[in-house]
Amino acid sequence: MINQKHHPSLTSQIIKAHSLPWQETKFSGVYTKTLFFDHATGQLTALVKMDPGAHLPDHEHPLIEQTYVLEGYLEDLEGIDQGLRVGPDEFVWRPATSRHAVHTPDGCLMLAMFLIPNKFFAPTGDVIDMAGANWANKWGHILPKNIS
């Protein structure tokens, strides 16, 4: 028998995703439902919905990213995997420091898991997260020293 004292931080947390509202992101036609987020580390699991024709511009995955496509297709527009198409019931993981831009021609729904938020490279030269915050100021202190 497991002998563990009841403590709120040790109890399982159930998220009813269907009851969460879709949140707009900095990028037109891209919405999220946050399922798990650790503000201290940046670790994030979210449902991501992209409208038909929506795209995520040039961005880098500072640490590994994992994505499971539930509906539609996600296509790499730029980067080492240009032309890669990931569809329903397919899982893709992206290595740390990989960089690309993606779009969805017909819309897409996916489950995405990040160890730290992505860096988006704005045309102005700013580096931001998906919410539009300055990436270095908000997340730079978390990134391991051997990854820049």
Side-chain angles (χ1 to χ4, degrees), residues 63-127:
L63 297 176
I64 189 173
E65 177 197 76
Q66 302 173 74
T67 302
Y68 180 71
V69 177
L70 298 161
E71 299 172 2
Y73 290 90
L74 188 65
E75 298 179 355
D76 281 40
L77 290 172
E78 299 174 19
I80 195 167
D81 290 323
Q82 185 173 355
L84 178 71
R85 184 176 162 130
V86 183
D89 202 30
E90 292 182 333
F91 175 83
V92 60
W93 64 271
R94 313 246 186 201
T97 72
S98 63
R99 188 170 168 172
H100 66 148
V102 297
H103 83 123
T104 178
D106 303 314
C108 187
L109 177 64
M110 59 199 127
L111 177 66
M113 295 148 280
F114 307 90
L115 296 179
I116 192 169
N118 290 335
K119 293 179 179 181
F120 287 89
F121 301 94
T124 59
D126 294 330
V127 180

Side-chain angles (χ1 to χ4, degrees), residues 17-37:
H18 67 275
S19 66
L20 296 174
W22 286 104
Q23 301 292 317
E24 291 185 24
T25 68
K26 172 85 173 149
F27 308 107
S28 179
V30 180
Y31 310 89
T32 63
K33 287 187 180 190
T34 301
L35 303 175
F36 172 80
F37 183 54

